[in-house]
Amino acid sequence: MKRRSLISAGAAAAALGAAGVRAQQQIVVKFSHVVAEHTPKGKASLKFKELAEERTKGRVKIEVYPNSSLFKDGEEMDALQLGSVQLLAPSLAKFGPLGVREFEVFDLPYVFDNYDELHKVTAGPVGANLFKKLESKGVQGLAYWDNGLKVMSANKSIKVPSDYKGLKMRIQSSKVLGDQMKALGAIPQVMAFSEVYQALQTGVVDGTENTPSNLYTQKMHEVQKFVALTDHGYIGYAVIANKKFWDGLPGDVRKQLEEAMRDATKFGNDIAAKENADALDAVKKSGKSQILTLTADEKAQLKKALSVVHKENESRIGKETIEAVYKATGHKV
Ligand code: LMR
């Protein structure tokens, strides 16, 4: 072959080769979640994207869709099982509809006093067993991501149980959270996260519970006159993948993604407490909501009224799971 044709044949082969490699090897991973980008979950998912793309040298492209822009609550689990999305990070309170009710152990009132107690559960046998239960649903558990302890909000002062009587309170799709609101005399309303701000604004519901970070980034404090620092429960996440997709990844790519996930998890869990503290400060500074700090006696009244929820949900969650959580944290309610 003449030198000129050799060069062009070589160039064509190289171009074809590169295109072929790209076509074969670029794996697009859609990662959908429902919260804002400037939250612990929003930031951790972007960190995962950065690390995953860097470490796979572009073989993997992670497309992060925040704020329910791809799928919202009530849609995303089906989409994951069908393979329309590959990664999600739903709140632990949203696994009941998937048929894994044991996750609702995380919703029990006052079950965790702090992040250390929570981590003893997520990093221990309970966390591992819960992930095992997902497999038969075609779902692979990858990591637990932190958010924080919850506040309550409404347009009236809410400190002791009697203050909640008759209030319509938005909750996530968890039976335990429903029972929690009923134990306070409130009326629980399950609603997708993307609809909460408008429901509060228009009075479809009177109040809600969430972490300061979610409350602030969704501007809920602008349509709620009172925010009570109850710390009565926890919101955090399980990062999950479509199992078939995850198992089908080339081994080296899966390993790189697992490492990226491990480091993104550490990053997100390290910033969660500060993100919530900063959000609470921002709510205070906004002057839109009055922050209610509870006395020890008011908190004790709430704890007492809510303690029934543990027993009520023993058969739903499983006594063994509840006992294992008590053992890990070192206390009951
Ligand atoms: C909610 O639905 O209230 C939150 O758990 C949303 C989220 O993902 O933090």
Side-chain angles (χ1 to χ4, degrees), residues 26-316:
Q26 183 151 73
I27 300 164
V28 177
V29 180
K30 291 191 166 74
F31 185 169
S32 170
H33 68 78
V34 301
V35 297
E37 283 191 330
H38 45 301
T39 56
K41 178 162 63 179
K43 290 185 179 180
S45 56
L46 290 175
K47 176 56 83 178
F48 174 67
K49 171 183 168 67
E50 176 199 319
L51 297 176
E53 291 180 352
E54 187 183 291
R55 290 179 189 175
T56 60
K57 301 195 168 46
R59 268 175 90 188
V60 173
K61 179 164 185 264
I62 309 283
E63 294 177 352
V64 180
Y65 297 90
N67 262 324
S68 311
S69 56
L70 188 61
F71 295 109
K72 59 178 194 165
D73 291 333
E75 299 171 346
E76 60 175 21
M77 288 290 195
D78 285 346
L80 186 83
Q81 287 179 301
L82 289 169
S84 316
V85 64
Q86 288 72 42
L87 282 181
L88 299 177
S91 142
L92 300 165
K94 294 176 183 168
F95 284 76
L98 189 68
V100 195
R101 297 164 168 184
E102 292 88 341
F103 274 87
E104 291 181 11
V105 75
F106 291 100
D107 299 330
L108 289 172
Y110 290 109
V111 77
F112 305 113
D113 286 341
N114 51 52
Y115 287 102
D116 281 349
E117 290 182 5
L118 163 79
H119 292 156
K120 284 186 188 141
V121 174
T122 50
V126 177
N129 284 339
L130 290 177
F131 276 177
K132 230 131 197 63
K133 289 185 192 297
L134 293 175
E135 291 178 12
S136 64
K137 310 286 174 192
V139 173
Q140 176 71 47
L142 299 177
Y144 288 99
W145 282 2
D146 294 349
N147 191 335
L149 293 176
K150 291 182 279 192
V151 298
M152 293 275 203
S153 70
N155 283 321
K156 59 170 288 209
S157 173
I158 33 168
K159 286 183 154 186
V160 292
S162 56
D163 296 333
Y164 290 83
K165 199 165 165 41
L167 290 183
K168 275 184 270 156
M169 299 292 284
R170 179 269 170 174
I171 55 161
Q172 306 176 74
S173 56
S174 155
K175 156 106 178 11
V176 171
L177 297 180
D179 288 348
Q180 167 200 271
M181 290 303 182
K182 286 182 196 157
L184 296 176
I187 305 153
Q189 306 253 314
V190 173
M191 185 178 289
F193 186 63
S194 54
E195 286 154 22
V196 181
Y197 173 84
Q198 209 186 349
L200 291 169
Q201 188 189 34
T202 55
V204 168
V205 289
D206 301 309
T208 190
E209 57 166 11
N210 226 306
T211 61
S213 164
N214 277 344
L215 182 96
Y216 178 67
T217 54
Q218 297 297 319
K219 302 192 187 338
M220 295 180 202
H221 64 293
E222 294 185 1
V223 289
Q224 294 277 266
K225 293 197 174 76
F226 295 89
V227 172
L229 306 183
T230 47
D231 288 340
H232 63 284
Y234 171 74
I235 289 183
Y237 311 103
V239 186
I240 54 176
N242 175 295
K243 184 161 173 54
K244 205 163 150 206
F245 164 78
W246 196 256
D247 290 345
L249 286 169
D252 57 336
V253 170
R254 193 169 52 246
K255 188 158 178 292
Q256 286 160 336
L257 293 188
E258 279 166 1
E259 285 169 9
M261 183 57 70
R262 187 197 57 210
D263 294 348
T265 299
K266 177 159 179 8
F267 168 86
N269 292 357
D270 283 351
I271 62 168
K274 185 166 184 316
E275 287 287 318
N276 277 296
D278 288 352
L280 189 58
D281 272 353
V283 172
K284 277 182 197 158
K285 283 202 189 98
S286 77
K288 306 254 181 200
S289 292
Q290 189 180 327
I291 307 290
L292 304 170
T293 306
L294 274 58
T295 63
D297 177 59
E298 287 163 343
K299 222 172 191 172
Q301 288 186 50
L302 267 188
K303 249 187 190 182
K304 185 154 178 262
L306 292 172
S307 63
V308 294
V309 179
H310 288 234
K311 204 80 196 142
E312 277 172 3
N313 284 279
E314 213 170 71
S315 64
R316 179 174 174 88

